[in-house]
Amino acid sequence: PDYKKIESAIKDKSSEYYYPTLTQKFNASDSTMTLEQKRHIYYGFVFQDKYSPYQFSDHSKKLNEVINKENLTNDDFKKIVELSDLVLAENPFDLRALSYKSYSLNKLEKKIELEKNIIKVNIIMEALISSGDGVSKETAFYVINTSNEYDLLNMLGFEFGGEQSLIEHYDYLKLAENEYKIAGFYFDVSPSLESLSKKMK
């Protein structure tokens, strides 16, 4: 993604990538969004006031507490949906919250809501996967939040190998043994690092 071009396009009211327009489409789970629109909604989030990649919300803590309960009831699933929505109000691209919400909507048999939620997951996943293949620095996956790295691994069917290192502006995650013999994935985390350096000034 060319962040400068994206920033320019999402601020242009006459552009199909104008951010408020894309936000409406995303919130409505519009499955007709083009790949470029998906890329602009995801990568364009770094230019929004809400963007805070290293902030861990209280709602996320509460959500994890409910998810980790031994036996989940219908009331718990309703609570998970409620807490997921609060997390997503702060960061609409939190794949973990979207996954927990999908799981709970499925358990509550809310099929229409589940389908809409899955469309949002797919919009984010397609934007991420379109950015590279992760096997080298040159073809790194581009993420706007480090938590997306681990979620992407899981959704692609890989397991984290337990070692993470920062190389220049890339996060490198070692993978557990896998049939593709891939040692690890590179993730370009430039927006997260820039956000952190601004906060420290």
Coordinates of all heavy atoms in Angstrom, one line a residue, residues 125-185:
M125 N -9.4 -9.4 5.7 CA -8.5 -10.5 5.3 C -8.0 -10.3 3.9 O -6.8 -10.5 3.5 CB -9.2 -11.9 5.4 CG -9.3 -12.3 6.9 SD -7.6 -12.7 7.6 CE -7.1 -14.1 6.7
E126 N -8.9 -9.9 3.0 CA -8.6 -9.7 1.6 C -7.6 -8.5 1.4 O -6.7 -8.6 0.6 CB -9.8 -9.5 0.7 CG -10.5 -10.8 0.5 CD -11.8 -10.6 -0.3 OE1 -11.9 -9.8 -1.2 OE2 -12.8 -11.3 0.0
A127 N -7.8 -7.5 2.2 CA -6.9 -6.3 2.2 C -5.5 -6.8 2.6 O -4.5 -6.5 2.0 CB -7.4 -5.2 3.1
L128 N -5.4 -7.5 3.7 CA -4.2 -8.0 4.3 C -3.4 -8.9 3.3 O -2.2 -8.7 3.0 CB -4.4 -8.8 5.6 CG -4.7 -7.9 6.8 CD1 -5.2 -8.8 8.0 CD2 -3.5 -7.1 7.3
I129 N -4.2 -9.9 2.8 CA -3.5 -10.9 1.9 C -3.1 -10.3 0.6 O -2.1 -10.7 0.0 CB -4.5 -12.1 1.7 CG1 -4.6 -12.9 3.0 CG2 -4.0 -13.0 0.6 CD1 -5.7 -13.9 3.1
S130 N -3.8 -9.2 0.2 CA -3.4 -8.5 -1.1 C -2.1 -7.8 -1.0 O -1.5 -7.3 -2.0 CB -4.5 -7.6 -1.5 OG -4.5 -6.4 -0.8
S131 N -1.6 -7.6 0.3 CA -0.4 -6.7 0.5 C 0.9 -7.5 0.3 O 2.0 -6.9 0.1 CB -0.4 -6.1 1.9 OG -0.3 -7.1 2.9
G132 N 0.9 -8.8 0.3 CA 2.1 -9.6 0.1 C 1.9 -11.0 0.5 O 0.8 -11.5 0.7
D133 N 3.0 -11.8 0.6 CA 2.9 -13.2 1.0 C 3.6 -13.4 2.3 O 3.6 -14.6 2.8 CB 3.3 -14.2 -0.1 CG 4.8 -14.0 -0.5 OD1 5.6 -13.4 0.3 OD2 5.2 -14.5 -1.5
G134 N 4.3 -12.4 2.8 CA 5.0 -12.5 4.1 C 6.3 -13.3 4.2 O 6.9 -13.3 5.3
V135 N 6.7 -13.9 3.1 CA 7.9 -14.8 3.2 C 9.2 -14.1 3.2 O 10.3 -14.6 3.5 CB 7.9 -16.0 2.2 CG1 6.7 -16.9 2.4 CG2 7.8 -15.4 0.8
S136 N 9.2 -12.8 2.8 CA 10.4 -12.0 2.8 C 10.1 -10.5 3.1 O 8.9 -10.2 3.2 CB 11.1 -12.0 1.4 OG 10.3 -11.3 0.4
K137 N 11.1 -9.7 3.4 CA 10.9 -8.3 3.7 C 10.2 -7.6 2.5 O 9.3 -6.8 2.7 CB 12.2 -7.6 4.0 CG 12.9 -7.9 5.3 CD 14.1 -7.1 5.4 CE 15.0 -7.6 6.6 NZ 16.3 -6.8 6.6
E138 N 10.7 -8.0 1.3 CA 10.2 -7.3 0.1 C 8.7 -7.7 -0.2 O 8.0 -6.9 -0.8 CB 11.0 -7.8 -1.1 CG 12.5 -7.3 -1.1 CD 13.3 -8.0 -0.1 OE1 13.1 -9.2 0.2 OE2 14.3 -7.3 0.3
T139 N 8.3 -8.8 0.3 CA 6.9 -9.2 0.1 C 6.1 -9.4 1.4 O 5.2 -10.2 1.6 CB 6.8 -10.6 -0.7 OG1 7.5 -11.6 0.1 CG2 7.5 -10.5 -2.0
A140 N 6.5 -8.5 2.4 CA 5.9 -8.6 3.7 C 4.4 -8.3 3.7 O 3.9 -7.6 2.8 CB 6.6 -7.6 4.6
F141 N 3.7 -8.9 4.6 CA 2.3 -8.5 4.8 C 2.3 -7.1 5.5 O 3.2 -6.8 6.4 CB 1.6 -9.4 5.8 CG 1.3 -10.8 5.3 CD1 1.8 -11.9 5.9 CD2 0.5 -11.0 4.2 CE1 1.6 -13.2 5.4 CE2 0.2 -12.3 3.7 CZ 0.8 -13.4 4.3
Y142 N 1.4 -6.2 5.1 CA 1.4 -4.9 5.7 C 0.2 -4.9 6.7 O -0.9 -5.2 6.3 CB 1.1 -3.8 4.6 CG 2.4 -3.4 3.9 CD1 3.0 -4.3 3.0 CD2 2.9 -2.1 4.0 CE1 4.2 -3.9 2.3 CE2 4.1 -1.8 3.4 CZ 4.7 -2.7 2.5 OH 5.8 -2.3 1.9
V143 N 0.5 -4.6 7.9 CA -0.5 -4.5 9.0 C -0.5 -3.2 9.7 O 0.5 -2.5 9.7 CB -0.4 -5.6 10.0 CG1 -0.6 -7.0 9.5 CG2 1.0 -5.5 10.7
I144 N -1.7 -2.8 10.2 CA -1.8 -1.5 10.9 C -1.8 -1.7 12.4 O -1.8 -0.7 13.1 CB -3.0 -0.7 10.4 CG1 -4.3 -1.4 10.7 CG2 -2.9 -0.3 8.9 CD1 -5.6 -0.6 10.5
N145 N -1.8 -3.0 12.8 CA -1.9 -3.3 14.2 C -1.2 -4.6 14.4 O -1.4 -5.6 13.7 CB -3.3 -3.4 14.6 CG -3.5 -3.3 16.1 OD1 -2.8 -4.0 16.9 ND2 -4.4 -2.4 16.6
T146 N -0.3 -4.7 15.4 CA 0.5 -5.9 15.6 C -0.4 -7.1 15.9 O -0.1 -8.2 15.6 CB 1.6 -5.8 16.7 OG1 1.0 -5.2 17.9 CG2 2.7 -4.8 16.2
S147 N -1.5 -6.9 16.6 CA -2.4 -8.0 16.9 C -2.9 -8.7 15.6 O -3.2 -9.9 15.6 CB -3.6 -7.6 17.8 OG -4.5 -6.7 17.0
N148 N -3.0 -7.9 14.5 CA -3.5 -8.5 13.2 C -2.5 -9.5 12.7 O -2.9 -10.4 12.0 CB -3.7 -7.4 12.2 CG -4.9 -6.5 12.4 OD1 -4.9 -5.4 11.8 ND2 -5.8 -6.9 13.2
E149 N -1.3 -9.5 13.1 CA -0.3 -10.5 12.7 C -0.7 -11.9 13.2 O -0.7 -12.8 12.4 CB 1.1 -10.1 13.3 CG 1.6 -8.8 12.9 CD 2.9 -8.4 13.6 OE1 3.4 -9.2 14.4 OE2 3.3 -7.2 13.5
Y150 N -1.0 -11.9 14.4 CA -1.3 -13.2 15.1 C -2.6 -13.8 14.5 O -2.8 -15.0 14.3 CB -1.3 -13.1 16.6 CG 0.1 -12.7 17.1 CD1 0.4 -11.4 17.3 CD2 1.0 -13.7 17.4 CE1 1.7 -11.0 17.7 CE2 2.3 -13.3 17.9 CZ 2.6 -12.0 18.0 OH 3.9 -11.6 18.5
D151 N -3.6 -12.8 14.4 CA -4.9 -13.2 13.8 C -4.8 -13.8 12.4 O -5.4 -14.7 12.1 CB -5.9 -12.0 13.9 CG -6.0 -11.5 15.3 OD1 -6.0 -12.3 16.2 OD2 -6.1 -10.3 15.4
L152 N -3.9 -13.1 11.6 CA -3.7 -13.5 10.2 C -3.1 -14.9 10.2 O -3.5 -15.8 9.4 CB -2.8 -12.5 9.5 CG -2.6 -12.8 8.0 CD1 -3.9 -12.8 7.2 CD2 -1.7 -11.7 7.4
L153 N -2.1 -15.2 11.1 CA -1.5 -16.5 11.2 C -2.5 -17.6 11.4 O -2.6 -18.6 10.7 CB -0.5 -16.6 12.3 CG 0.9 -16.0 12.3 CD1 1.7 -16.5 13.4 CD2 1.5 -16.3 11.0
N154 N -3.4 -17.3 12.4 CA -4.4 -18.3 12.8 C -5.4 -18.5 11.6 O -5.7 -19.7 11.3 CB -5.2 -17.8 14.0 CG -4.3 -17.8 15.2 OD1 -3.3 -18.6 15.3 ND2 -4.6 -17.0 16.2
M155 N -5.8 -17.4 11.0 CA -6.8 -17.6 9.9 C -6.2 -18.3 8.7 O -7.0 -18.9 7.9 CB -7.4 -16.2 9.6 CG -8.3 -15.7 10.7 SD -9.1 -14.1 10.3 CE -10.2 -14.0 11.7
L156 N -4.9 -18.2 8.5 CA -4.3 -18.9 7.4 C -3.9 -20.3 7.7 O -3.4 -21.1 6.9 CB -3.0 -18.1 6.9 CG -3.2 -16.8 6.3 CD1 -1.8 -16.1 6.0 CD2 -4.0 -16.9 5.0
G157 N -4.2 -20.7 9.0 CA -3.9 -22.1 9.4 C -2.5 -22.4 9.9 O -2.1 -23.5 10.0
F158 N -1.8 -21.3 10.3 CA -0.4 -21.5 10.8 C -0.4 -21.3 12.3 O -1.3 -20.6 12.9 CB 0.6 -20.5 10.2 CG 0.8 -20.7 8.7 CD1 0.1 -20.0 7.7 CD2 1.8 -21.7 8.3 CE1 0.3 -20.2 6.4 CE2 2.0 -21.9 6.9 CZ 1.3 -21.2 6.0
E159 N 0.6 -21.8 13.0 CA 0.8 -21.6 14.4 C 2.0 -20.8 14.7 O 3.0 -21.0 14.0 CB 0.9 -23.0 15.1 CG -0.5 -23.6 15.3 CD -0.3 -25.0 16.1 OE1 0.5 -25.0 17.1 OE2 -0.9 -26.0 15.7
F160 N 1.9 -19.9 15.6 CA 3.1 -19.1 16.0 C 4.1 -20.0 16.7 O 3.8 -20.8 17.5 CB 2.6 -18.0 17.0 CG 3.6 -17.1 17.6 CD1 4.6 -16.6 16.8 CD2 3.7 -16.8 19.0 CE1 5.6 -15.7 17.3 CE2 4.7 -16.0 19.5 CZ 5.6 -15.5 18.6
G161 N 5.4 -19.8 16.2 CA 6.5 -20.6 16.7 C 7.1 -20.2 18.0 O 8.1 -20.8 18.5
G162 N 6.6 -19.1 18.6 CA 7.0 -18.6 19.9 C 8.1 -17.6 19.9 O 8.5 -17.1 21.0
E163 N 8.6 -17.2 18.7 CA 9.7 -16.2 18.7 C 9.2 -15.0 17.8 O 8.8 -15.2 16.7 CB 11.0 -16.7 18.1 CG 11.8 -17.6 19.1 CD 13.1 -18.1 18.5 OE1 13.7 -17.3 17.8 OE2 13.3 -19.3 18.7
Q164 N 9.4 -13.8 18.3 CA 9.0 -12.6 17.6 C 10.2 -11.6 17.7 O 10.8 -11.4 18.7 CB 7.7 -12.0 18.2 CG 7.3 -10.7 17.5 CD 7.7 -9.4 18.2 OE1 8.0 -9.5 19.4 NE2 7.8 -8.3 17.5
S165 N 10.5 -11.0 16.5 CA 11.6 -10.0 16.6 C 11.3 -8.9 15.6 O 10.6 -9.0 14.6 CB 13.0 -10.7 16.2 OG 12.8 -11.5 15.0
L166 N 11.9 -7.7 16.0 CA 11.7 -6.5 15.2 C 12.9 -6.3 14.4 O 14.0 -6.1 15.0 CB 11.4 -5.3 16.1 CG 11.0 -4.0 15.4 CD1 9.7 -4.1 14.6 CD2 10.9 -2.8 16.4
I167 N 12.8 -6.3 13.1 CA 14.0 -6.1 12.2 C 13.6 -4.9 11.4 O 12.7 -4.9 10.5 CB 14.2 -7.3 11.3 CG1 14.3 -8.6 12.1 CG2 15.4 -7.1 10.4 CD1 14.1 -9.9 11.3
E168 N 14.4 -3.8 11.6 CA 14.0 -2.5 11.0 C 12.6 -2.1 11.3 O 12.2 -2.0 12.5 CB 14.3 -2.5 9.5 CG 15.8 -2.8 9.1 CD 15.9 -3.4 7.8 OE1 15.0 -3.3 6.9 OE2 17.0 -4.1 7.6
H169 N 11.7 -2.0 10.3 CA 10.3 -1.7 10.5 C 9.4 -2.9 10.2 O 8.3 -2.8 9.8 CB 9.9 -0.5 9.7 CG 10.1 -0.6 8.2 ND1 11.3 -0.3 7.7 CD2 9.3 -1.0 7.2 CE1 11.3 -0.5 6.4 NE2 10.0 -0.9 6.1
Y170 N 10.0 -4.1 10.4 CA 9.3 -5.3 10.2 C 9.2 -6.1 11.4 O 10.2 -6.3 12.2 CB 10.0 -6.2 9.1 CG 10.2 -5.6 7.8 CD1 11.4 -4.9 7.4 CD2 9.1 -5.6 6.8 CE1 11.5 -4.3 6.2 CE2 9.3 -5.0 5.6 CZ 10.5 -4.3 5.3 OH 10.6 -3.7 4.1
D171 N 8.1 -6.7 11.7 CA 8.0 -7.7 12.7 C 8.2 -9.0 12.1 O 7.6 -9.3 11.0 CB 6.5 -7.7 13.3 CG 6.5 -7.1 14.7 OD1 7.6 -6.9 15.3 OD2 5.4 -6.9 15.3
Y172 N 9.0 -9.9 12.7 CA 9.2 -11.2 12.1 C 8.7 -12.2 13.1 O 9.1 -12.3 14.3 CB 10.7 -11.5 11.8 CG 11.0 -12.9 11.3 CD1 10.6 -13.2 10.0 CD2 11.5 -13.9 12.1 CE1 10.9 -14.5 9.5 CE2 11.7 -15.2 11.6 CZ 11.4 -15.5 10.3 OH 11.6 -16.7 9.8
L173 N 7.7 -13.0 12.7 CA 7.2 -14.1 13.6 C 7.6 -15.4 13.1 O 7.4 -15.8 11.9 CB 5.6 -14.0 13.6 CG 4.9 -12.8 14.0 CD1 3.4 -13.0 14.2 CD2 5.5 -12.2 15.3
K174 N 8.2 -16.2 14.0 CA 8.7 -17.5 13.6 C 7.4 -18.4 13.6 O 6.6 -18.3 14.5 CB 9.7 -18.0 14.6 CG 10.5 -19.2 14.2 CD 11.6 -19.5 15.1 CE 12.4 -20.7 14.7 NZ 13.4 -21.1 15.6
L175 N 7.3 -19.3 12.7 CA 6.2 -20.2 12.6 C 6.5 -21.6 13.2 O 7.7 -22.0 13.1 CB 5.7 -20.4 11.2 CG 5.2 -19.2 10.4 CD1 4.9 -19.6 9.0 CD2 4.1 -18.5 11.1
A176 N 5.5 -22.2 13.8 CA 5.7 -23.6 14.2 C 5.8 -24.5 12.9 O 5.5 -24.0 11.8 CB 4.5 -24.1 15.0
E177 N 6.4 -25.7 13.0 CA 6.5 -26.5 11.8 C 5.2 -26.6 11.0 O 4.2 -26.7 11.6 CB 6.9 -27.9 12.3 CG 8.4 -28.2 12.2 CD 8.8 -29.6 12.5 OE1 8.3 -30.5 11.8 OE2 9.6 -29.8 13.4
N178 N 5.4 -26.5 9.7 CA 4.2 -26.6 8.9 C 4.5 -27.3 7.5 O 5.7 -27.4 7.2 CB 3.7 -25.1 8.6 CG 4.7 -24.2 7.9 OD1 4.9 -24.3 6.7 ND2 5.4 -23.4 8.8
E179 N 3.4 -27.7 6.9 CA 3.6 -28.5 5.7 C 4.3 -27.7 4.5 O 4.8 -28.3 3.6 CB 2.3 -29.1 5.2 CG 1.2 -28.1 4.9 CD -0.1 -28.7 4.4 OE1 -0.1 -29.3 3.4 OE2 -1.1 -28.4 5.1
Y180 N 4.2 -26.4 4.6 CA 4.8 -25.6 3.5 C 6.3 -25.3 3.7 O 6.9 -24.6 2.9 CB 4.0 -24.3 3.4 CG 2.5 -24.5 3.1 CD1 1.6 -24.4 4.2 CD2 2.0 -24.9 1.9 CE1 0.3 -24.6 4.0 CE2 0.7 -25.2 1.7 CZ -0.2 -25.0 2.8 OH -1.5 -25.3 2.6
K181 N 6.8 -25.7 4.9 CA 8.2 -25.5 5.3 C 8.5 -24.0 5.3 O 9.7 -23.6 5.0 CB 9.1 -26.2 4.3 CG 8.9 -27.7 4.1 CD 9.5 -28.5 5.2 CE 9.5 -30.0 5.0 NZ 8.2 -30.6 5.4
I182 N 7.6 -23.2 5.7 CA 7.8 -21.7 5.8 C 8.3 -21.5 7.3 O 7.7 -21.9 8.2 CB 6.5 -20.9 5.6 CG1 6.0 -21.1 4.1 CG2 6.8 -19.4 5.8 CD1 4.7 -20.5 3.8
A183 N 9.5 -20.8 7.3 CA 10.1 -20.6 8.6 C 9.4 -19.5 9.5 O 9.3 -19.6 10.7 CB 11.6 -20.2 8.5
G184 N 9.0 -18.5 8.7 CA 8.4 -17.4 9.4 C 7.8 -16.3 8.5 O 8.0 -16.4 7.3
F185 N 7.1 -15.4 9.0 CA 6.5 -14.3 8.2 C 7.0 -13.0 8.6 O 7.2 -12.7 9.8 CB 5.0 -14.3 8.3 CG 4.3 -15.4 7.5 CD1 3.2 -16.1 8.1 CD2 4.6 -15.7 6.2 CE1 2.5 -17.1 7.4 CE2 3.9 -16.7 5.5 CZ 2.9 -17.4 6.1

